[in-house]
């Protein structure tokens, strides 16, 4: 299961899904994301295209939908048919989902982890209890997360992989 909540996550998740599909065509990829993920072979349980909102009232209106989606994904994780959860950025939602995955015995790979070095350093102890493996995109993040008990590996920045040089 691959979960990306916004357009940038969809972009990076699609590249990941394409690579996984090439390496392991036998895998069934399901998740939450947009058209890029779908074109890369992910069976979408929820589409995120066009769901971004701005403004206090608009955000409040979306809260029930987010909780319903979280419940549905949690149920899928608890069903015993998800081998691993890959979360991409989107920490407010994905950290909650990661907690459910861990409770269900599903390994959690967090790709593009929350930027705890810029803000939210208080999340590090919580991340350490949730994440099986962190795939980080900035070199210094590996040492930072490892210092807090998180198994982290620097995997390179996905946008740099998209450039010619």
């Amino acid at each position: 299961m691959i979960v990306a909540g916004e357009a940038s996550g969809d972009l990076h998740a699609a590249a990941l899904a394409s690579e996984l599909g090439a390496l392991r065509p036998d895998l069934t990829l399901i998740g939450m994301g947009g058209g890029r993920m779908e074109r890369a072979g992910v069976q979408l349980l929820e589409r995120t295209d066009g769901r971004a909102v701005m403004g206090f009232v608009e955000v409040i209106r979306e809260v029930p939908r987010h909780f319903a989606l979280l419940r549905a994904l949690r149920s899928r994780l608890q069903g015993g048919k998800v081998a691993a959860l890959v979360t991409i950025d989107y920490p407010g939602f994905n950290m909650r989902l990661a907690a459910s995955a861990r409770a269900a015995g599903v390994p959690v790979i967090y790709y593009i982890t929350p930027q705890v070095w810029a803000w939210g350093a208080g999340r590090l102890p919580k991340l350490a209890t949730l994440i099986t493996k962190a795939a980080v995109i900035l070199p210094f993040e590996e040492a930072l997360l490892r210092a807090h008990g998180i198994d982290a590996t620097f995997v390179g920045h996905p946008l740099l992989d998209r450039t010619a040089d």
Side-chain angles (χ1 to χ4, degrees):
M1 178 185 291
I2 304 172
V3 177
E6 69 278 321
S8 65
D10 181 54
L11 174 71
H12 305 315
L16 174 64
S18 291
E19 289 295 321
L20 285 172
L23 291 169
R24 291 279 312 273
D26 59 310
L27 289 178
T28 300
L29 303 175
I30 62 169
M32 176 179 110
R36 288 184 179 105
M37 283 176 63
E38 189 171 49
R39 288 188 294 279
V42 179
Q43 174 193 350
L44 295 181
L45 304 170
E46 176 76 15
R47 290 192 72 95
T48 58
D49 304 70
R51 300 299 296 195
V53 294
M54 291 181 65
F56 181 75
V57 173
E58 292 80 5
V59 169
I60 295 299
R61 285 187 191 139
E62 288 294 310
V63 169
R65 187 186 72 79
H66 273 298
F67 279 110
L69 177 57
L70 189 57
R71 280 191 302 275
L73 294 176
R74 282 175 172 160
S75 176
R76 181 71 74 126
L77 289 166
Q78 293 164 352
K81 293 185 179 180
V82 176
L85 170 66
V86 178
T87 55
I88 299 178
D89 200 8
Y90 207 50
F93 186 89
N94 277 336
M95 285 181 64
R96 288 179 175 87
L97 189 60
S100 297
R102 289 295 282 203
V106 175
V108 178
I109 299 98
Y110 212 129
Y111 177 44
I112 309 179
T113 56
Q115 296 176 346
V116 292
W117 46 269
W119 59 273
R123 290 180 171 181
L124 283 164
K126 182 70 172 174
L127 283 171
T129 67
L130 301 178
I131 296 175
T132 307
K133 182 75 174 177
V136 297
I137 62 170
L138 298 171
F140 66 85
E141 290 177 319
E142 181 177 337
L144 174 67
L145 271 60
R146 284 183 176 274
H148 287 86
I150 299 168
D151 183 7
T153 301
F154 170 64
V155 296
H157 199 292
L159 294 180
L160 294 178
D161 292 343
R162 301 176 70 85
T163 63
D165 297 322

